[in-house]
Amino acid sequence: MQNTILILGGTGKTGSRIARHLTAAGRPVRTASRTGGDIRFDLDDPTTWKPALDGVTAAYLVEPNLRASTDHQARVPRFVTEAVTAGVRRLVLLSAPRADEEDHPLHAAEQAVRGSGVDWAILRPNWFSQNFSEGPWLPGILAGTLALPTGDGRTPFIDAEDIAAVAASALTEDRHHGQTYELTGPRAISFGEAADLIAKATGRTVRHVDVDPEVFVQRQVVAGASPAVARLFAEILMTIGRGSGAALCDGVERALNRPPRPFEDFVTEAAAAGHWA
């Protein structure tokens, strides 16, 4: 199948939504994942790359594991080289805030995409709203206590549906070439407010508790994160508590010519879907 759009992490929070957007628009899509996708794919196993890239002209790139090692951070750059050689002519990278800093785990991936010689776009979303319903904060919500080192700081959570819509557009439209989109929701709220909104929608008792950063890091390491990644996440969360995580960005408006979805809409839909049942 020619002119296929390849979606790495095709069964994940953004990838599955992008696939749905593109399929609805009649675009040929190939989801790639270690399990459950249209084709088996593993960034650690280059023998899986060539079959995934067969007939592909555009690709959505995701680095699923942020690790400190230089070799690990070279996986996406190596894949970018192979993708371009195989005939891919458009790349869209899921990145993160602060990835322009040289010590960020995704800095090398961004540089590789920018220097690829093909059309590219980079997405830097803020914290996903779906972290409360499908990701790392779900256990805390279900347990009734969300322990994060954020204090009363506020941040504009971004709905993964908006990220997917931006990615689908960037994968299929020329106007996004060379764009870096900082993606946020329409307003900044605290984790306490988020917990209250979820509690109201579900009838659960849910509260946010500010936790010491070192305790947070230790818990993340126990859960499987590397110390470097755990400290990076802790530092980013702490910036929210220090008041520097509340800035709104216009990436969704610039990419889609509409405002981002409010957090309240996410909560209503997630509750109706039974994510917190």
Side-chain angles (χ1 to χ4, degrees):
M1 184 165 55
Q2 299 300 308
N3 299 319
T4 297
I5 299 174
L6 176 67
I7 304 174
L8 302 191
T11 60
K13 283 194 287 293
T14 59
S16 61
R17 289 173 167 86
I18 296 167
R20 187 171 66 243
H21 277 273
L22 294 173
T23 300
R27 300 281 186 164
V29 173
R30 179 180 300 146
T31 57
S33 180
R34 280 177 291 187
T35 58
D38 296 325
I39 193 167
R40 181 182 175 275
F41 179 87
D42 189 340
L43 276 173
D44 280 328
D45 182 2
T47 65
T48 66
W49 297 2
K50 184 176 180 179
L53 288 166
D54 183 35
V56 168
T57 54
Y60 176 71
L61 310 181
V62 177
E63 171 51 80
N65 297 308
L66 302 181
R67 298 178 187 169
S69 72
T70 302
D71 182 67
H72 187 89
Q73 292 174 28
R75 300 192 310 174
V76 169
R78 286 196 294 263
F79 181 75
V80 165
T81 299
E82 182 154 338
V84 173
T85 301
V88 174
R89 291 296 172 258
R90 178 168 294 160
L91 300 169
V92 176
L93 173 69
L94 181 68
S95 188
R98 298 174 52 188
D100 54 334
E101 299 175 8
E102 290 190 6
D103 61 347
H104 193 284
L106 289 172
H107 180 75
E110 285 203 2
Q111 293 300 102
V113 167
R114 286 194 175 92
S116 63
V118 301
D119 286 357
W120 60 267
I122 291 172
L123 314 185
R124 291 180 182 168
N126 195 48
W127 294 102
F128 292 17
S129 299
Q130 279 73 13
N131 283 342
F132 292 99
S133 60
E134 305 170 31
W137 303 330
L138 176 58
I141 295 295
L142 296 178
T145 301
L146 188 62
L148 299 169
T150 57
D152 295 325
R154 305 167 72 85
T155 195
F157 299 105
I158 177 75
D159 195 314
E161 293 290 348
D162 281 340
I163 302 170
V166 173
S169 182
L171 285 163
T172 56
E173 298 180 39
D174 296 340
R175 64 189 178 88
H176 301 285
H177 172 53
Q179 295 294 319
T180 298
Y181 292 118
E182 305 279 352
L183 305 176
T184 70
R187 72 182 184 96
I189 64 174
S190 69
F191 280 82
E193 290 176 86
D196 289 344
L197 287 167
I198 295 170
K200 183 178 179 180
T202 61
R204 286 180 167 274
T205 297
V206 184
R207 66 191 183 112
H208 167 248
V209 174
D210 188 36
V211 66
D212 182 271
E214 286 302 319
V215 173
F216 174 81
V217 169
Q218 291 168 12
R219 290 175 179 173
Q220 292 298 300
V221 171
V222 168
S226 72
V229 170
R231 291 191 181 280
L232 174 65
F233 286 157
E235 178 59 31
I236 295 173
L237 287 167
M238 289 163 61
T239 64
I240 297 173
R242 293 194 289 264
S244 61
L248 303 182
C249 298
D250 64 354
V252 174
E253 289 93 337
R254 288 198 296 119
L256 302 177
N257 297 312
R258 67 162 174 80
R261 286 159 47 92
F263 188 79
E264 289 83 352
D265 286 3
F266 152 73
V267 170
T268 298
E269 292 182 8
H275 286 290
W276 300 304

